[in-house]
Structure formats: C-alpha cells, structure tokens
Amino acid sequence: MPKPYSAFRSAAAKQPRRKGLVGAALLVVFMLILAGLRGLALVGIATGLTDCAWCMGATAIQQDAGILALLLAFTGLSLLSARYWLQLPWLLLSAMLLLAYALDAILLKTLVQHLYWLDIVKFGKEIDAIGRFGNVLLASATGKLMLVGVVAGIGVLVLALLSRPRRPRLALACFVAAGLFFLIGLWSPMTMKYINYPLLQNFIAANLADSVDRHYSTAYADMLRKEYVPPAPICEAGRGLRPNVIIIAVESLSMYHSKLFGGGGDTPHLDAIARDNAYFPDFIANGFTTDSGLIAMITGKPPIPTLGRYQSAEAFAGFESPQGALPEIVHAHGYTTHFFTTGDLGFLDKSKWLKELGFDSWEGAEQPFYNGWKRRHFNAAEDKALYQRFLQWLDARKDDASPWLAFILTVSTHPPFVNPENESLDEAGAFRYADKQIGMLYDELAKRDFFRNGVLMISGDHRSMTPLSATELARFGDSALARTPFVVATQLPITRGAVSGKFQQADIVPSIAELLGERACHKPDQGTFLSDPPQPAQYVAHARGDRRNQIDIYFDGKQADLVLAGDQSDWIGPKPDNWKQIMDGIALDRIGRGTANENFLDLMINARAPKPAPSPN
C-alpha cells in the first residue's frame, strides 16, 4: 500500500536534519584532524631542540583537548532542542571555534605563532597585504594542501550549520565527553616547561594568559609619580664628525643565517663585510616584528607596548613623538633624513608615522622606479630594485654637499620566503639572494668612495618567525629569540672586528648622536657602539612575541623577565639591583604614552589600508 503524502513530507523534513547530524559529527572529526596536524607541526618545530620532539607534539594535542571540550559542549547544547533558532547560536559558536582553530594552525605552520585576537584588530584592515601574502603562500605545495583543507572545511561548516534533530541522549554523551576532555586539557605535563611553551598551549589559553594591556590604576600611577627617581643620563664627549649614514633593516635577518654569527646559513657577502669592518656577535633586536624594529632603530626606545597597543590597528601608537628620534638628532647638525622601501607605506600607516617623526622624504611601492618589477609581499619589488633605486637617488645628489641619513627597509626575505631568482619557496635561497644584493650595494658604495666619510649599518629588523635551531638554543639559550646580526662598515676610526658586549637596535640613535655631536647624553638603557671604546647599555629590553606580556631584561650576563600586568606587574628570575627603578620607569613611560585609541568600530570604518601621505621631495 502506498505511503500517504504526509509520510513522504515527514521523511523529507527529517533528511536535512540527518545531514545536520552528519555535519556535527564531521565538525568534530575535522577538529581532531586539525589537532593532529598541529601536533605534527609542533614536532617539526621541536625537532633538534629537545630530546623528545614527539612529546611536544603530543603535548600540543593534549592541551587542545580543552578546545575539543568546548566544541562537544556546543554540539550537546545544539541537540537539546528541535527548534532551529535555539540551535543556531551553538551552531555558529561551533563554526567560529573551528574557523579560529584552523587559522591558528595555519599561523603556526607559516609564522610559528598563535592566532592572537588582538592581532586580528592590528592587521585586519590590511586586506591587500593579507591577500598578497596568501597568493605567495598558495604558490607553494604547503599552500595548495592548505587550500584543499580550506575547501573541505567550508563543506563541513555548511553541513554543520544545518538544522539537527533533538537527541537528548546524544547531547548527554557530548557533555560527558566534553567534561573528560576538559579535565585532560587541564593537565600541565613537564613538557610545558619548554621555553616555547606558549606554542604548546591551545590558542584560547594563550590569549587569556596575556595581561599586557591591563591598565594601571590612578592610585598606582600617582604613587609612582611621587616616588620615582629617574636615573641620571650618561653624558660624554662626542666626536663631532659629519659622515653620511645609511641604515639597512633586513627583513627577518637572523643569527642562524650567517656562519660568522654562529649559524649554518650562507651569507658570504655579509660575513666578508663584517670581517673587514665591525660586527657585534651579541646583538639584540628589541622587538619581534618589523614595526617594533623600526621603533627601536629610529626612536632609540625599546618597543615596550603602549597600553592598548595590541587592541589597536595603529602599530606605532605611543611612539609618534619626534623628540630624541633620528630625524631630530641629525637635523640639529644640518642633515636631511630619507626613508626607502619597496613595500606599501600604507601598511600599518608607516607614511603617517614617518611624517610625524620628521623625515624629510619617504617612498615605497608607489615609486615609479619600480614600475615593471614583479611585485610580491606588500606590493613590494625585490631587494635588487630597492638598492638600485637608492643608488639612483644617491647619484642624483652627488653635487650636493649637505649631509644626509638614509634608512632602508627590505622586504624580499619576509615569510613565506620566496627566492626572487627562481620563485621557489626556499628560506636559504631567499637569504642567499638578499646577501648577494647586500654585496652588490656595498661594492657600488665602495666605487663611489662612500666609506671614506660614510657609515653603513646593517641589521635584521627582528629575528625570523621560524623555529629556533639547536645551534641557536645551545649558544644563546632563551635569548636566541631576540638575536640578529649587526654590522658597521666605514673607513672612519672605530673599533673594528668582533665588538664584545650586549648591544641593541635602540643604541643606533645615541650612537649617531655621539658620532655627530661635540657632546652627547643618553639613558642607562642605551649604549654607544661608535664611541672609543664602545659602551654597552646597563641593561637591554626585548619585547617578546611568544609571551606578549613579558619583557626580557638582559643585565650583567643574566636574564630577568618583567611580566606586564598593570598594578600587578612583577619579575620572574634574577632581578637587577635597580629592578624597582626599571619596573617603575617602564610603567610611567607606558602611562605617559597614553592608551591607543583604535577599536573595533575604527577597524570597521577604516577597512581599507590608507594611501601613503605624499613625500615632500
């Protein structure tokens, strides 16, 4: 006997609900697959650094049990009602959780860091830069596999957002499983003492542990202002010279890229330049990103984050004052200042910041010289084009005797590392290429007799966002995360060869001030590497990228860590004798810089990267 129409209608109505149930199961399976892949990525990162790399991968999966617990809890809640509008909030939360987890896994694989909510605010408006980064990544085999995973994930999400049948018993099973996985995730094994333990944490725990933007109370700030005694500046006779100055910040250049600096990489030109001039084997990058490197090298201040900085789309918030920055220092001696890069100056509003600091000119991807060159990350032409453009600029002013300072920021070695000579994704090849271009620039400057009365400084902008090598870890310990080569080339009388002492990016400003002035003063947390003899800072600060609320302080051959948490800021490890003065000074400096005022509404309004401000050439 044929079934009545109502039976067919009932069966048809149940079909999408069954698909929704299948989608829920696939969502959990997909999360488990991602957890396994994240564990494998951690094995790759830890290989050579620990006795048991697989233990690190297993720990990462165990720590992610809390994420799976959340997903199971949301799934259980969605199965308690047959009404779709009551299911929908839990379906959306499940989808968002999976999406965030997938993005975190991609960032771990490509940049060796977690997905931090506040980085979404900071970089979210840079749609063009993100797109170009994605295009470069998709050119690789890894990127293509990721694309397959993304397509599969979208299919799973579509199914998972369908209506589900009411299944109270299945919901109860999900809750029991969620409780079990939650308890598993609470365990903190010995492997969590690994120096890069934040990478082992699940991304929610990593975000919740970040106290960097916790504000100081009014009472605490008032107390600091009454009690704080600032350290006396260190003043000394200057050298009164007038050389032209070139500072090159090489994207991601790290100690391990150079044999001379203790690594296994291949940078023969940089190493030869260093041996013939001066190099600093114990040099510290003050931050972990390009913007933090620029802040240190141009303002002379360690990039200790402004309150609210990681909630802000303005990367340079709190460091806009021209007082004491390179342009002000050299303008006082009749210099002009110029900034060169091939990247998009609209990215993170660099052009606005350079104008506020007082640079006389700045140029980036918009420079007509780069027309016809292939563009990659950040719409940038390769390093060869950058150096050729600078030499063109230099030759155009050969009859101008007025002194100048030029700051050059490279882009070609930004991850994912593409060798411009053959388009291969090859970190070693990309740095061999960059090294060859540095050698070309050095030779061209020598032909122009630049070094007779000129100074060339070469530094990485920060240590590469790649796993620590076993060699780095054995040689430098935890501080390997803050290391970058530094070379000074000139024929002027300076200390030559390997210069001992812990120097840093923030020493560039006081060193130039001492070189140009008859007398110069600097703070105790700044050194002068062009003086005779070179004088390291009393202590050096490095803002970490893996633990955003932690500032590494290097002093007297030791390392201490200052944890930023508003009124509850405190020290980890051996403290310097003047620990309170350092901590209170950092707190007052952060309070004095104010709070970054960008927020989610601003991000929505300013969805597109701003156009670079015109450079007054």
Side-chain angles (χ1 to χ4, degrees):
M1 181 178 179
K3 292 183 179 179
Y5 172 72
S6 59
F8 283 109
R9 185 177 178 183
S10 175
K14 289 178 181 178
Q15 190 64 26
R17 289 182 178 268
R18 291 197 185 100
K19 289 182 180 178
L21 206 56
V22 170
L26 287 175
L27 203 64
V28 174
V29 171
F30 201 77
M31 180 73 82
L32 288 170
I33 292 171
L34 285 175
L37 292 173
R38 196 174 97 84
L40 284 175
L42 260 299
V43 171
I45 290 171
T47 297
L49 302 181
T50 67
D51 294 332
C52 182
W54 286 98
C55 299
M56 299 301 168
T59 301
I61 295 173
Q62 174 264 321
Q63 291 291 301
D64 285 349
I67 302 290
L68 186 59
L70 264 181
L71 182 62
L72 289 167
F74 293 155
T75 302
L77 289 166
S78 72
L79 297 171
L80 292 178
S81 172
R83 297 179 183 275
Y84 186 64
W85 65 273
L86 289 176
Q87 295 177 3
L88 188 59
W90 309 116
L91 305 186
L92 291 174
L93 284 172
S94 299
M96 290 171 61
L97 184 65
L98 181 68
L99 181 61
Y101 189 83
L103 288 173
D104 180 70
I106 290 172
L107 282 176
L108 178 71
K109 182 65 177 175
T110 56
L111 296 177
V112 196
Q113 67 170 350
H114 271 305
L115 172 69
Y116 285 95
W117 309 122
L118 303 179
D119 281 352
I120 297 175
V121 181
K122 180 180 175 183
F123 296 109
K125 71 175 183 177
E126 309 295 352
I127 305 299
D128 182 66
I130 294 171
R132 289 179 181 276
F133 180 90
N135 286 337
V136 173
L137 181 62
L138 286 175
S140 68
T142 299
K144 291 180 175 65
L145 287 174
M146 287 181 179
L147 181 60
V148 172
V150 168
V151 172
I154 290 173
V156 169
L157 288 176
V158 170
L159 285 174
L161 289 174
L162 295 175
S163 177
R164 302 171 183 179
R166 182 173 180 269
R167 292 284 192 274
R169 290 182 180 178
L170 185 56
L172 179 60
C174 286
F175 294 144
V176 172
L180 178 61
F181 279 110
F182 178 75
L183 292 175
I184 292 173
L186 287 179
W187 178 44
S188 182
M190 289 297 294
T191 42
M192 289 301 289
K193 297 185 182 297
Y194 175 54
I195 64 166
N196 280 333
Y197 76 86
L199 291 177
L200 304 179
Q201 287 180 302
N202 68 64
F203 74 96
I204 293 179
N207 277 273
L208 292 177
D210 196 355
S211 60
V212 65
D213 284 328
R214 192 176 300 169
H215 282 239
Y216 300 90
S217 68
T218 301
Y220 186 78
D222 290 342
M223 181 270 292
L224 290 179
R225 293 187 184 101
K226 290 177 183 177
E227 297 181 0
Y228 178 67
V229 178
I234 300 169
C235 298
E236 55 195 359
R239 304 184 63 182
L241 301 176
R242 290 291 183 276
N244 293 318
V245 180
I246 303 171
I247 303 167
I248 303 179
V250 181
E251 172 64 50
S252 299
L253 180 64
S254 308
M255 293 289 195
Y256 71 89
H257 293 128
S258 160
K259 287 185 175 67
L260 180 64
F261 284 90
D266 187 17
T267 55
H269 297 91
L270 178 69
D271 292 0
I273 295 168
R275 289 191 187 96
D276 291 343
N277 293 275
Y279 64 99
F280 299 76
D282 207 14
F283 194 76
I284 295 292
N286 295 102
F288 66 96
T289 57
T290 298
D291 50 281
S292 59
L294 293 178
I295 287 169
M297 298 169 79
I298 294 175
T299 72
K301 300 173 183 176
I304 295 171
T306 299
L307 290 166
R309 179 183 174 196
Y310 293 123
Q311 300 180 45
S312 170
E314 298 296 327
F316 300 101
F319 294 96
E320 307 95 336
S321 172
Q323 185 176 1
L326 272 178
E328 182 185 70
I329 293 295
V330 302
H331 282 163
H333 299 283
Y335 280 64
T336 55
T337 52
H338 311 274
F339 187 95
F340 299 85
T341 189
T342 55
D344 180 6
L345 285 176
F347 182 72
L348 301 180
D349 289 356
K350 278 194 287 288
S351 56
K352 176 176 177 285
W353 182 64
L354 294 168
K355 181 179 181 180
E356 290 171 333
L357 290 181
F359 273 84
D360 296 290
S361 72
W362 49 90
E363 60 178 57
E366 82 293 342
Q367 165 58 236
F369 182 86
Y370 304 126
N371 292 344
W373 289 83
K374 182 170 182 176
R375 307 300 182 101
R376 296 178 181 83
H377 331 60
F378 310 104
N379 198 28
E382 63 192 73
D383 290 358
K384 182 178 181 180
L386 173 61
Y387 295 142
Q388 287 186 1
R389 163 56 191 152
F390 172 74
L391 291 169
Q392 180 193 58
W393 174 88
L394 180 61
D395 291 340
R397 58 177 300 131
K398 64 182 178 181
D399 296 326
D400 186 348
S402 59
W404 49 265
L405 179 146
F407 195 106
I408 301 175
L409 174 64
T410 76
V411 180
S412 289
T413 44
H414 193 286
F417 303 106
V418 178
N419 183 347
E421 293 182 320
N422 57 21
E423 300 300 325
S424 64
L425 277 181
D426 173 14
E427 180 180 354
F431 278 94
R432 280 195 302 271
Y433 163 82
D435 176 70
K436 184 192 301 184
Q437 304 315 316
I438 290 171
M440 178 274 291
L441 176 64
Y442 183 82
D443 292 342
E444 291 296 327
L445 291 173
K447 290 177 185 176
R448 291 161 173 79
D449 199 23
F450 169 81
F451 297 105
R452 181 176 56 81
N453 189 39
V455 179
L456 170 66
M457 304 179 191
I458 305 171
S459 171
D461 57 348
H462 56 85
R463 193 219 173 255
S464 176
M465 290 182 177
T466 49
L468 286 177
S469 70
T471 303
E472 285 180 293
L473 191 60
R475 182 171 182 179
F476 300 119
D478 200 5
S479 71
L481 293 166
R483 303 283 180 151
T484 183
F486 186 60
V487 175
V488 177
T490 182
Q491 293 174 14
L492 295 173
I494 62 170
T495 300
R496 311 189 80 79
V499 181
S500 62
K502 199 170 251 77
F503 291 91
Q504 59 179 327
Q505 292 172 327
D507 294 340
I508 289 175
V509 171
S511 296
I512 291 176
E514 187 271 341
L515 181 69
L516 305 185
E518 299 297 335
R519 184 171 176 79
C521 298
H522 58 90
K523 299 179 295 182
D525 64 342
Q526 295 175 317
T528 53
F529 51 77
L530 297 176
S531 56
D532 187 19
Q535 299 293 328
Q538 292 180 9
Y539 67 92
V540 172
H542 167 73
R544 295 182 70 122
D546 56 341
R547 306 168 205 175
R548 302 289 177 90
N549 61 341
Q550 193 165 305
I551 307 297
D552 293 339
I553 303 292
Y554 302 104
F555 68 100
D556 297 336
K558 303 174 186 176
Q559 177 181 335
D561 298 299
L562 176 59
V563 178
L564 301 177
D567 297 5
Q568 286 74 47
S569 298
D570 205 355
W571 291 87
I572 299 174
K575 295 184 288 190
D577 292 339
N578 59 338
W579 64 270
K580 191 174 188 313
Q581 185 183 58
I582 293 173
M583 183 172 73
D584 291 353
I586 288 174
L588 279 173
D589 175 62
R590 299 183 77 209
I591 292 167
R593 281 189 265 134
T595 301
N597 56 14
E598 282 286 318
N599 54 43
F600 285 99
L601 179 60
D602 296 322
L603 179 63
M604 293 169 64
I605 294 172
N606 300 307
R608 297 185 63 183
K611 299 294 183 184
S615 170
N617 292 313

